[in-house]
Amino acid sequence: MNGARSLVETLLAAGVDTCFANPGTSEMHFVAALDQAAGMRCVLGLQENVVTGMADGYWRLAGKPACTLLHCGPGLANGLANLHNARRARSGIVNIVGDQATWHRPHDPPLTADTEGFARGVSAWVRTSARAADVGRDAAAAVQAARALQGQVATLVLPSDASWDDGGEVAKPLSVLPAPPVDGSAVDAVARVLRSGGKTLLLLAGAAVQEQGQALAWRIAQATGAGLMADYLNARVSRGRGRLQLERVPYSTDLAVAALASYEHIVLVNAKPPVGFFAYPGKPSQQHAPGAQFHVLSRPDQDAVAALRDLADALRAPPLAIPDPGPRPEPASGAPTPEKLAQTVAALLPDQAIVSDESVSYGRGFYKHTHAAAPHEWLHLSGGAIGDGMPVATGAAIGAGGERRVLSLQADGSAMYSLQSLWTQARERLPVTTVILSNRKYAILINEYQAVGATPGPSAMRMLDLGNPNLDWVQLAQGMGVEAARASTLEECAALMAASFRRDGPFLIELLV
Amino acid sequence: MNGARSLVETLLAAGVDTCFANPGTSEMHFVAALDQAAGMRCVLGLQENVVTGMADGYWRLAGKPACTLLHCGPGLANGLANLHNARRARSGIVNIVGDQATWHRPHDPPLTADTEGFARGVSAWVRTSARAADVGRDAAAAVQAARALQGQVATLVLPSDASWDDGGEVAKPLSVLPAPPVDGSAVDAVARVLRSGGKTLLLLAGAAVQEQGQALAWRIAQATGAGLMADYLNARVSRGRGRLQLERVPYSTDLAVAALASYEHIVLVNAKPPVGFFAYPGKPSQQHAPGAQFHVLSRPDQDAVAALRDLADALRAPPLAIPDPGPRPEPASGAPTPEKLAQTVAALLPDQAIVSDESVSYGRGFYKHTHAAAPHEWLHLSGGAIGDGMPVATGAAIGAGGERRVLSLQADGSAMYSLQSLWTQARERLPVTTVILSNRKYAILINEYQAVGATPGPSAMRMLDLGNPNLDWVQLAQGMGVEAARASTLEECAALMAASFRRDGPFLIELLV
């Protein structure tokens, strides 16, 4: 068999059965191998950042890696921003990039680029298969790397001759590398801090903000009086009824400093010390109180649930139910506001829904108003590189097996970065409801400009305003085969949202805010 | 003044007065400086690959660099593919990328990435300004680098504190570095080859395929019997009445080998030895005849016109008019074919129009049928990374001062990579007519798959077919404020094209092919 066939068979043997793809000429042997090897679901994206973002969303729900299929260096480059987000989310991805044949590359044909160089900044593991006989072995190693340390991006570069040459050998799956074990002395040290009575925050990230981790964190907090907070951005947070009413470290430096001001001790559970998203003149980078002490219970590459379990045991914290958030709200009415939109979402969200949140500045307060929603999973733009929300929503729908409704809350400016996602949603008939928060400007940047201490003048406003001409999201969606409608009140929005949740396929609501 | 202001003033002093931008938070001081410093035209793109592609198209027409304004590492990453194309086109671009403040970066906030690492693969020059006082000096050096050696990508990374701190100093423009001089002995050697009577090809690229270069090449060819051919991809070719009826080295390896088979000598005029775009099993990388000898008249970084002038002088080649291509054809009718569409373009193209060609496989034969068109400039996808055609068309319209009609011939699959270009065309009311060649598949890949020796099966076809659902380009264009209509015959296409050429603003035709 050729190298491409050995790649597909090795991936399937290792449990990688979903491929998000935007192939080119140098990947045609991989595409041909898909016709020969049954069992690989291939999902086409019409631009590479859609492809890599889908792979990110898939991991967050499926908990196992998909592979990508990208074309040469520039194709990889198009998908780097969402690989950056995936890296920050610790999403495991087997990122396959075709390339020039080994003997053709020295002639420097036009598409030749520094593929490995582009990959390095977003990948924990990079390898180029030198020949067909290596491809299976390299693919097995890539899957192992993608699954390691809570999830990593592993990039395998595949020269076209390594694909088409005979001599491919299917490799057996390699065992998943164990996470670095929880450090018993760290658990003891944190237990001592919690017993000491100093005001302490457990700052949660990674698996600590999912269901099991939350239950353990709640027991610890109730037994010790510690506060609980989540990182500002998390790959996946379990939310709604039965889950913690967690709040996040605020985005704004001033608010974050205020929220953390009273804590003498901050225990990091897969979290990093909170820092500003950006720096501002005269403001601190770090957001904790001066003199506050950090204690690492578990690093981001460790098992947060195991660490919390050890800590709960050390503290003999008794089992305890998470308190009820009160009744589900009714859908709101009138002109849209962030609070009322969140209330409407809380009222209507189906059980076990998935929320992909790229609402950017509009949605910073959504958490507070959605604690009483049905149980759901909330996915953030983990790396801050806008253009992730719609691809992640698309991949999450697939990663969840097509059974759970996805609500994609999407700012209009950032929606334009990867609007091609809608076509894949239509093609795969995915249960995704997109709500475009159409304010026709880069609202976050107008805020940030004002933070610089000025009001934008006409030249600056030309860089911040999306309203000339207005984007028509109903036409954009329909142009890609997704049914869509516009809403200017929350009643209209609620009716459209509720109707969309009863559908099988995608729907888009342009909400004028 | 702060660093950002010194940057804008230094750019203006060096003649850089157009900025293609997609800014973020860390670039707000640059945006604020635009309100203070008059004379910089800022053009917003809604995704970074549109921004960098516009800067490429601008250079090709204006012959001087624009600057970009991009946001952090992931924002740069989104624009890399068209910087790759710009690098291959030798387009000069001052590529400005904002970044985390120098003292904030070590805290590794979410958007932090290896900005310089991403830039290196596409840039001839990369520098990060360490402090406000350096920004002016660094910007002047960036402009110098962008203008050097026939055009280069120069990336200046601007930490936000270098932008906002006081102490900025406007720097004087640096002189344009001279190109490496034409080598007299190379000219003599080529002259001897041409006099020797061996069958010789002048392979033209860079400025050699523009008006002055063509006139000189024609004199040389007529005086010596040499053949003339252009590279397959060129940044800008002068075409139509009064210009050479040049053909390109064909895309297909077989056709290229056949086209070059008879030449014993190949003289490279800013061209490189012709190689296949991709490798294929059992086919050669290099396309020249075995035993053919290469002779370098001028390297890609040298002045092709000066080299050709020296060669014409050495050969005492007399002035000679370029022959007339015969009458303009009439617009074609009936069902679209590549030949008939080219004929229609030749019939209708306005004088001094600009053609941006990302027609991919559909348009490989367009040259043959457009020699009798009015004089025009033809721009190719120089680096082969699809998604350049519409941004280049947009930037070229601006680079040409808004006075020349641009015809953007665009395959549907590649159009989806940077469709956001249409919004900028609408916002800036640019004279761009886009013709989407809507075949609803990746036709090039189906060809390439068949070159692999097989017919795509159902799994493979799911990766190659864009028809489920169909893209509706009329809705997509209207959704971004560009008027549009659909044509399924060439009569309809011709009527829409002719009407669009009488407009001031953009128009899109979806041609079902």
Side-chain angles (χ1 to χ4, degrees):
Chain A
M1 72 174 67
N2 67 19
R5 179 78 185 272
S6 74
L7 172 58
V8 174
E9 300 281 9
T10 301
L11 291 170
L12 286 169
V16 177
D17 57 10
T18 304
C19 175
F20 296 100
N22 186 271
T25 298
S26 46
E27 292 72 56
M28 281 304 102
H29 287 82
F30 186 108
V31 173
L34 297 174
D35 276 335
Q36 297 150 9
M40 182 68 77
R41 178 179 184 182
C42 262
V43 178
L44 184 60
L46 296 189
Q47 198 262 4
E48 291 86 349
N49 217 33
V50 175
V51 170
T52 53
M54 290 195 292
D56 180 3
Y58 176 91
W59 165 274
R60 298 196 202 183
L61 268 291
K64 67 174 192 173
C67 68
T68 64
L69 183 63
L70 304 175
H71 181 43
C72 292
L76 168 62
N78 282 335
L80 284 176
N82 278 342
L83 290 172
H84 165 89
N85 286 320
R87 178 174 81 89
R88 294 290 185 180
R90 302 197 77 87
S91 292
I93 296 176
V94 180
N95 183 44
I96 300 171
V97 188
D99 211 345
Q100 300 288 354
T102 54
W103 42 265
H104 194 56
R105 186 175 177 82
H107 296 288
D108 194 37
L111 256 175
T112 310
D114 183 8
T115 310
E116 283 205 354
F118 288 156
R120 225 161 253 131
V122 295
S123 311
W125 184 101
V126 179
R127 189 180 293 175
T128 298
S129 285
R131 58 199 182 107
D134 297 345
V135 171
R137 186 197 70 186
D138 292 344
V143 177
Q144 185 184 49
R147 287 178 182 273
L149 302 176
Q150 316 305 319
Q152 304 188 116
V153 178
T155 297
L156 177 62
V157 181
L158 198 65
S160 52
D161 52 333
S163 262
W164 72 50
D165 278 348
D166 270 338
E169 294 172 23
V170 181
K172 290 208 182 110
L174 298 173
S175 56
V176 178
L177 294 171
V182 178
D183 176 356
S185 63
V187 173
D188 293 343
V190 169
R192 276 195 300 277
V193 167
L194 286 164
R195 287 196 202 97
S196 72
K199 188 149 186 217
T200 304
L201 174 70
L202 295 184
L203 184 60
L204 310 176
V209 295
Q210 295 179 27
E211 200 156 17
Q212 274 188 291
Q214 287 187 15
L216 291 159
W218 179 245
R219 285 168 55 189
I220 294 163
Q222 290 308 103
T224 62
L228 296 175
M229 212 179 286
D231 255 2
Y232 174 63
L233 294 176
N234 290 282
R236 175 179 171 175
V237 187
S238 302
R239 304 194 64 250
R241 192 166 304 281
R243 280 78 178 267
L244 285 182
Q245 296 176 44
L246 267 180
E247 289 298 334
R248 306 187 281 160
V249 178
Y251 177 86
S252 132
T253 296
D254 293 342
L255 295 179
V257 167
L260 298 174
S262 65
Y263 291 109
E264 299 161 68
H265 300 278
I266 299 178
V267 174
L268 300 171
V269 190
N270 285 42
K272 297 198 302 179
V275 298
F277 213 86
F278 294 105
Y280 299 89
K283 293 196 179 175
S285 284
Q286 295 181 295
Q287 299 169 329
H288 59 276
Q293 284 188 289
F294 284 102
H295 311 273
V296 177
L297 178 68
S298 51
R299 295 194 313 267
D301 60 359
Q302 291 180 302
D303 181 342
V305 173
L308 288 167
R309 189 177 296 120
D310 289 356
L311 182 60
D313 289 348
L315 292 164
R316 297 205 173 81
L320 204 66
I322 287 177
D324 189 87
R328 248 193 201 221
E330 291 298 312
S333 60
T337 66
E339 297 71 23
K340 286 181 170 185
L341 175 61
Q343 179 188 331
T344 303
V345 167
L348 299 176
L349 205 61
D351 194 39
Q352 303 304 325
I354 300 156
V355 177
S356 176
D357 178 2
E358 192 171 274
S359 53
V360 195
S361 51
Y362 196 83
R364 283 185 194 145
F366 280 171
Y367 265 32
K368 198 172 4 174
H369 307 280
T370 50
H371 292 307
H376 62 275
E377 303 294 310
W378 196 288
L379 317 180
H380 288 285
L381 177 66
S382 305
I386 56 176
D388 201 17
M390 291 161 75
V392 161
T394 311
I398 294 170
E403 299 298 312
R404 298 169 71 169
R405 194 76 201 176
V406 179
L407 177 62
S408 183
L409 297 172
Q410 184 61 55
D412 54 353
S414 49
M416 280 304 284
Y417 283 73
S418 43
L419 72 164
Q420 303 92 339
S421 312
L422 294 170
W423 183 84
T424 300
Q425 292 176 11
R427 183 181 184 87
E428 304 288 331
R429 296 185 179 78
L430 298 174
V432 181
T433 300
T434 302
V435 178
I436 300 284
L437 307 165
S438 181
N439 59 17
R440 297 171 174 170
K441 52 182 173 279
Y442 287 131
I444 186 172
L445 296 184
I446 295 175
N447 297 340
E448 298 284 351
Y449 191 102
Q450 286 159 349
V452 167
T455 302
S459 296
M461 265 315 286
R462 277 180 58 79
M463 299 298 94
L464 309 175
D465 146 45
L466 303 177
N468 172 25
N470 284 335
L471 293 163
D472 180 332
W473 280 97
V474 174
Q475 288 204 309
L476 291 173
Q478 289 174 348
M480 288 181 276
V482 171
E483 287 186 75
R486 190 167 292 117
S488 53
T489 68
L490 284 168
E491 292 90 326
E492 290 164 6
C493 183
L496 291 168
M497 213 185 266
S500 79
F501 292 159
R502 293 190 294 269
R503 288 169 167 258
D504 287 332
F507 193 81
L508 181 141
I509 303 163
E510 178 176 7
L511 178 63
L512 303 177
V513 299
Chain B
M1 70 173 68
N2 67 19
R5 178 79 185 271
S6 76
L7 172 58
V8 174
E9 301 280 9
T10 300
L11 291 169
L12 286 169
V16 177
D17 57 10
T18 304
C19 175
F20 297 100
N22 186 271
T25 298
S26 45
E27 291 72 57
M28 281 304 102
H29 286 82
F30 185 106
V31 172
L34 297 175
D35 276 335
Q36 297 150 9
M40 182 68 78
R41 178 178 184 182
C42 261
V43 178
L44 185 60
L46 297 189
Q47 198 261 3
E48 291 87 347
N49 217 34
V50 175
V51 170
T52 54
M54 289 194 292
D56 180 2
Y58 176 91
W59 165 273
R60 298 197 202 181
L61 268 291
K64 67 175 193 173
C67 67
T68 64
L69 183 63
L70 304 175
H71 181 43
C72 291
L76 168 62
N78 282 334
L80 283 176
N82 277 342
L83 289 172
H84 165 89
N85 286 320
R87 178 174 80 89
R88 294 291 186 179
R90 302 196 78 86
S91 292
I93 296 176
V94 179
N95 184 44
I96 299 170
V97 188
D99 211 345
Q100 301 288 353
T102 53
W103 42 265
H104 194 57
R105 186 175 177 83
H107 297 288
D108 194 36
L111 257 175
T112 310
D114 184 7
T115 310
E116 283 204 354
F118 288 155
R120 226 162 252 128
V122 295
S123 310
W125 183 102
V126 180
R127 189 180 294 176
T128 299
S129 285
R131 58 197 182 108
D134 297 344
V135 171
R137 186 197 68 185
D138 292 343
V143 177
Q144 184 184 49
R147 287 178 182 273
L149 302 176
Q150 316 306 319
Q152 304 188 116
V153 178
T155 297
L156 178 62
V157 181
L158 198 66
S160 53
D161 52 333
S163 263
W164 74 49
D165 278 347
D166 271 337
E169 293 172 25
V170 181
K172 289 207 181 110
L174 298 173
S175 55
V176 178
L177 293 172
V182 177
D183 177 353
S185 62
V187 173
D188 292 343
V190 170
R192 276 195 300 278
V193 168
L194 287 165
R195 286 196 203 98
S196 71
K199 190 154 183 214
T200 304
L201 174 70
L202 294 185
L203 185 60
L204 310 177
V209 295
Q210 294 178 27
E211 200 157 14
Q212 274 189 289
Q214 287 187 15
L216 290 160
W218 178 245
R219 286 169 52 188
I220 293 163
Q222 290 308 103
T224 62
L228 296 176
M229 212 179 285
D231 255 2
Y232 174 63
L233 295 176
N234 290 282
R236 175 178 171 175
V237 187
S238 302
R239 303 195 63 252
R241 192 165 304 280
R243 280 79 180 264
L244 284 182
Q245 296 177 45
L246 269 180
E247 288 297 332
R248 306 187 284 160
V249 179
Y251 177 85
S252 134
T253 296
D254 293 343
L255 295 180
V257 166
L260 298 174
S262 65
Y263 291 108
E264 299 161 67
H265 299 277
I266 300 178
V267 175
L268 300 172
V269 189
N270 284 43
K272 298 198 302 180
V275 299
F277 213 85
F278 294 106
Y280 299 89
K283 293 195 178 174
S285 283
Q286 295 182 295
Q287 299 169 329
H288 59 276
Q293 284 187 290
F294 284 102
H295 310 273
V296 177
L297 178 68
S298 51
R299 295 195 313 269
D301 60 0
Q302 291 179 302
D303 182 342
V305 172
L308 287 166
R309 189 177 297 121
D310 288 356
L311 182 60
D313 289 348
L315 292 165
R316 298 204 173 82
L320 204 66
I322 287 177
D324 189 86
R328 250 192 198 220
E330 292 298 311
S333 61
T337 66
E339 296 70 25
K340 285 182 171 184
L341 175 60
Q343 179 189 331
T344 302
V345 168
L348 299 176
L349 204 62
D351 193 40
Q352 303 303 326
I354 299 155
V355 176
S356 176
D357 178 3
E358 192 171 274
S359 53
V360 194
S361 51
Y362 196 82
R364 283 185 194 144
F366 280 173
Y367 264 33
K368 198 173 2 176
H369 307 279
T370 49
H371 292 307
H376 61 277
E377 303 294 309
W378 195 286
L379 317 180
H380 287 286
L381 178 65
S382 305
I386 56 176
D388 201 18
M390 291 161 75
V392 161
T394 311
I398 294 170
E403 300 298 312
R404 298 169 71 169
R405 193 76 200 176
V406 179
L407 177 63
S408 183
L409 296 172
Q410 184 61 54
D412 54 353
S414 48
M416 280 303 284
Y417 284 72
S418 43
L419 72 163
Q420 303 93 338
S421 311
L422 294 170
W423 183 84
T424 301
Q425 291 176 12
R427 185 182 184 84
E428 303 288 331
R429 296 186 179 78
L430 297 174
V432 181
T433 299
T434 302
V435 178
I436 299 284
L437 307 166
S438 182
N439 60 15
R440 297 170 174 172
K441 52 183 174 281
Y442 286 131
I444 186 172
L445 296 184
I446 295 175
N447 296 341
E448 298 284 350
Y449 191 102
Q450 286 159 348
V452 166
T455 302
S459 296
M461 265 314 287
R462 277 179 58 78
M463 299 298 95
L464 309 175
D465 145 46
L466 303 177
N468 172 26
N470 283 335
L471 293 163
D472 180 332
W473 280 98
V474 174
Q475 288 205 310
L476 290 172
Q478 288 173 350
M480 288 180 275
V482 171
E483 286 186 76
R486 191 168 292 116
S488 52
T489 66
L490 284 168
E491 292 90 327
E492 289 164 6
C493 184
L496 291 168
M497 212 185 265
S500 79
F501 292 159
R502 293 189 293 268
R503 286 168 169 260
D504 288 331
F507 193 80
L508 181 141
I509 303 164
E510 178 176 8
L511 178 64
L512 303 177
V513 298

